[in-house]
Amino acid sequence: MLCFGVLFHGIVRHPVKRKVIIVGTALNLLFFLIDLLFVQDISFLMTYPRTTMSISLVIYSLLFFHEIVTSDSGYDINPVRNASFWIVTGIFFFYLSSTLTIIFWNYFVVNNEYFGTVMLRVFAFILYSMYIAGILLHKPTDEIR
């Protein structure tokens, strides 16, 4: 979570949104430690902190998208040509869909087999595809001008 907090703090420019990211990341880390020490053991799946982290990452992604849409100065470059746009888009879709899949895990049973694992693999494929798209489509600002 700390890594994602640093990522979003670096790409979101609005000061209030950056403070939201700092506070949200600190609260997530605190919740993780409380869950680790008092609620679930270290060998457990850590479902509660993962869910709160996923919700936070979806909110951070929405803050990033909101900043792109409402920026007065305009985005420096086309978002499609910016790697951070693709990374955030991948994070948004992966954590939104995988969290919902984990929440409804018991409902994804077909012929006594869990269909959720296949769905998570598809979501992971989409996530890494967006990472690759960001790397391939990224154009530094010096090349555009």
Side-chain angles (χ1 to χ4, degrees):
M1 182 63 208
L2 185 61
C3 177
F4 286 122
V6 170
L7 169 74
F8 280 101
H9 186 267
I11 59 176
V12 172
R13 298 177 189 154
H14 193 273
V16 174
K17 293 176 184 175
R18 291 179 95 174
K19 288 179 184 176
V20 168
I21 291 169
I22 290 170
V23 170
T25 302
L27 288 175
N28 272 311
L29 290 173
L30 180 66
F31 182 67
F32 172 77
L33 291 174
I34 291 170
D35 184 74
L36 179 68
L37 298 174
F38 302 112
V39 181
Q40 295 176 324
D41 194 14
I42 194 167
S43 62
F44 202 69
L45 187 57
M46 305 295 284
T47 54
Y48 302 127
R50 186 187 191 289
T51 303
T52 57
M53 180 190 73
S54 298
I55 292 168
S56 297
L57 290 176
V58 168
I59 291 170
Y60 297 168
S61 299
L62 291 174
L63 290 174
F64 174 76
F65 295 138
H66 182 262
E67 186 171 285
I68 289 176
V69 173
T70 61
S71 177
D72 290 337
S73 62
Y75 208 69
D76 294 339
I77 60 173
N78 182 2
V80 176
R81 294 294 190 182
N82 191 343
S84 61
F85 171 79
W86 287 101
I87 291 169
V88 171
T89 303
I91 289 170
F92 175 77
F93 285 117
F94 176 77
Y95 282 101
L96 179 65
S97 55
S98 67
T99 301
L100 292 173
T101 300
I102 290 172
I103 289 172
F104 298 112
W105 188 264
N106 291 332
Y107 298 105
F108 295 122
V109 178
V110 178
N111 296 331
N112 290 330
E113 290 189 28
Y114 287 103
F115 191 68
T117 55
V118 174
M119 292 176 65
L120 288 177
R121 288 182 184 143
V122 170
F123 299 146
F125 176 77
I126 293 170
L127 172 72
Y128 292 118
S129 297
M130 296 228 177
Y131 286 174
I132 292 169
I135 292 168
L136 294 176
L137 294 174
H138 181 71
K139 296 261 188 206
T141 54
D142 295 338
E143 289 183 18
I144 294 176
R145 293 179 186 178

